[in-house]
Amino acid sequence: MTNEPGGAVRPTLGAPARSVVRTGYAAFFLVGWCMLLLPSLIREIESAFGQTDAGMGVAYLLYNLAWVTGTVSTGVLAGRMPRRLLMGGGPALIGIGLVVMAAGGSWPVFIGGCLVFGLGLGIIDSGMNAVFMDLFPGRQASALNRLHLWVAIGALVGPFATGRLVAAGVPWQAVLAGGAAAAVAVAIAMATRNLPPTRHARAHRDGDVRGRHRAAPRERRVPVPVVVLSIAIACYVASEMGVTAWLVRYLADAPIELATLALSLFWAGMAVGRIVTSYLAERLGSVTLAWTWSIAMGIALMAALAAPSLGLSIVLFAIAGVAAGPVYPMIMAIAGSMYRDRTSMVSSVLASAAIIGSLLYPPLMGFLSETLGLGVSMLGAALFAVGAAIFVVIGARLGVREGAGAGSAVLGTAD
């Protein structure tokens, strides 16, 4: 047992739970690395298959459709099949998709690989958030920030390494194959861990059949505060992934090493933001941090687009990353604090909404680039960040009004 500030006592994680945490970090590092592979290799992929920005927009659209399918499927399947099998299947699908993308010699085959790849990413995204909510009840904000820190670390390392490998003459297909090998290792680790059971599985284990049947109609409904927070997270991800997907292309006049470095710095900023917020979450409150960081992200993006020099613009994109980092886990923590007994629902709904955000706007940016210019598309990403802040406040207020969770858990200083 360890003491919390103020004298509260919380249990210390045992060795099996610590191994789950470490495997979760590895899985989210893989997600961060993999989700920036296409943006980092966009120039090479467009050249190899003779595609335009609009064609890559279609690829992003289908890839994200597969991702949201994975997140929704995880929420439906949670508790209905062994959790370790479900979670081990996610990285396995990532590996299969990467192999198909690397080996395929035509655009349709490449797209098919993208679909399998996105499905696996969606399973890990939704499923691991729920695992950490179940592992850390009452400390979800800090725990989720630490988990999502590893997405940022993977995302900042990935473009940097990819840019240098491609510049050194390594075929882009070999970069994808290397990611597949890492995915297989994570799949094996995930499938052999003792993951905590879902609430559905715990109820089945305890024989609470009548209780499950009574709660089923209510639990099939998504509460209004979660719906509003879903809009917030969709707006945020539309902004974050809009920048992620098109930053290297936006900096087309810069050498590939510098353009991918800018993308790495954006995600390095996200890692810094998540580290800082993991220590501030219980002191300042999830809602305050979510909306202030989101507005700061929008302002920094606008400044980066208006910057008079490339160097200043890259610095401002990195600052935007610092602000962007904590927003996703903070929104997830707000909803998780409201509905502590429905973590699979919260994680699945919010993760699905997040992918809808990346499903709609980043692909649209490819078409806007052909007409209005990529700069206008990037400005739209900044405005989505400001919109996310508005919906965070509305969703949190509705949660307090409906009495979802403790008031301090939603708007106060404790998660």
Side-chain angles (χ1 to χ4, degrees), residues 361-385:
Y361 191 63
L364 179 61
M365 290 174 70
F367 293 94
L368 292 176
S369 174
E370 303 281 339
T371 55
L372 301 177
L374 194 51
V376 174
S377 299
M378 297 287 275
L379 176 61
L383 295 177
F384 270 113

Side-chain angles (χ1 to χ4, degrees), residues 56-145:
M56 281 303 299
V58 172
Y60 283 142
L61 174 66
L62 295 175
Y63 155 74
N64 284 309
L65 274 172
W67 192 320
V68 76
T69 300
T71 62
V72 172
S73 300
T74 303
V76 173
L77 294 174
R80 292 173 173 80
M81 64 181 295
R83 202 174 203 176
R84 68 174 66 184
L85 179 61
L86 178 64
M87 297 303 298
L93 289 172
I94 291 172
I96 293 170
L98 287 172
V99 169
V100 172
M101 292 159 65
S106 67
W107 185 243
V109 174
F110 182 86
I111 292 297
C114 284
L115 294 176
V116 179
F117 177 59
L119 183 64
L121 287 169
I123 291 172
I124 290 296
D125 183 11
S126 174
M128 193 50 62
N129 278 299
V131 168
F132 269 62
M133 288 181 189
D134 287 335
L135 280 176
F136 297 96
R139 295 182 290 140
Q140 294 170 347
S142 57
L144 288 173
N145 261 287

Side-chain angles (χ1 to χ4, degrees), residues 75-409:
V76 173
L77 294 174
R80 292 173 173 80
M81 64 181 295
R83 202 174 203 176
R84 68 174 66 184
L85 179 61
L86 178 64
M87 297 303 298
L93 289 172
I94 291 172
I96 293 170
L98 287 172
V99 169
V100 172
M101 292 159 65
S106 67
W107 185 243
V109 174
F110 182 86
I111 292 297
C114 284
L115 294 176
V116 179
F117 177 59
L119 183 64
L121 287 169
I123 291 172
I124 290 296
D125 183 11
S126 174
M128 193 50 62
N129 278 299
V131 168
F132 269 62
M133 288 181 189
D134 287 335
L135 280 176
F136 297 96
R139 295 182 290 140
Q140 294 170 347
S142 57
L144 288 173
N145 261 287
R146 287 191 293 272
L147 174 64
H148 284 264
L149 166 64
W150 288 91
V151 173
I153 293 173
L156 74 89
V157 172
F160 182 83
T162 299
R164 272 134 195 84
L165 288 171
V166 171
V170 176
W172 62 269
Q173 295 92 336
V175 177
L176 296 184
V184 170
V186 173
I188 294 171
M190 191 71 70
T192 56
R193 294 296 177 263
N194 185 21
L195 301 179
T198 63
R199 195 175 74 85
H200 182 281
R202 290 195 300 269
H204 185 273
R205 179 193 63 194
D206 296 338
D208 187 14
V209 177
R210 289 186 302 170
R212 293 200 315 278
H213 288 174
R214 284 196 302 269
R218 175 183 64 83
E219 295 196 357
R220 282 196 293 267
R221 296 193 297 268
V222 178
V224 173
V226 175
V227 172
V228 177
L229 290 172
S230 296
I231 299 173
I233 209 167
C235 289
Y236 161 74
V237 173
S239 177
E240 174 213 299
M241 291 308 299
V243 175
T244 296
W246 294 101
L247 182 55
V248 173
R249 181 68 181 83
Y250 176 72
L251 301 176
D253 294 335
I256 182 66
E257 300 98 316
L258 185 58
T260 52
L261 175 62
L263 183 56
S264 284
L265 289 175
F266 177 72
W267 279 87
M270 294 185 72
V272 171
R274 286 170 179 172
I275 291 171
V276 171
T277 303
S278 69
Y279 293 101
L280 298 177
E282 275 80 27
R283 299 176 184 176
L284 299 181
S286 301
V287 176
T288 299
L289 288 168
W291 74 259
T292 53
W293 280 127
S294 191
I295 288 179
M297 174 187 178
I299 293 172
L301 288 176
M302 292 178 198
L305 297 173
S309 67
L310 176 63
L312 179 58
S313 179
I314 291 175
V315 169
L316 288 167
F317 276 119
I319 293 172
V322 174
V327 179
Y328 187 108
M330 286 296 94
I331 297 175
M332 191 74 70
I334 293 166
S337 295
M338 292 178 183
Y339 301 97
R340 296 176 189 266
D341 63 339
R342 302 180 67 187
T343 56
S344 291
M345 177 277 295
V346 167
S347 178
S348 178
V349 170
L350 291 186
S352 298
I355 302 306
I356 290 173
S358 65
L359 178 70
L360 296 179
Y361 191 63
L364 179 61
M365 290 174 70
F367 293 94
L368 292 176
S369 174
E370 303 281 339
T371 55
L372 301 177
L374 194 51
V376 174
S377 299
M378 297 287 275
L379 176 61
L383 295 177
F384 270 113
V386 176
I390 296 171
F391 284 106
V392 163
V393 174
I394 294 172
R397 294 289 178 185
L398 287 173
V400 170
R401 185 177 302 171
E402 291 193 4
S408 62

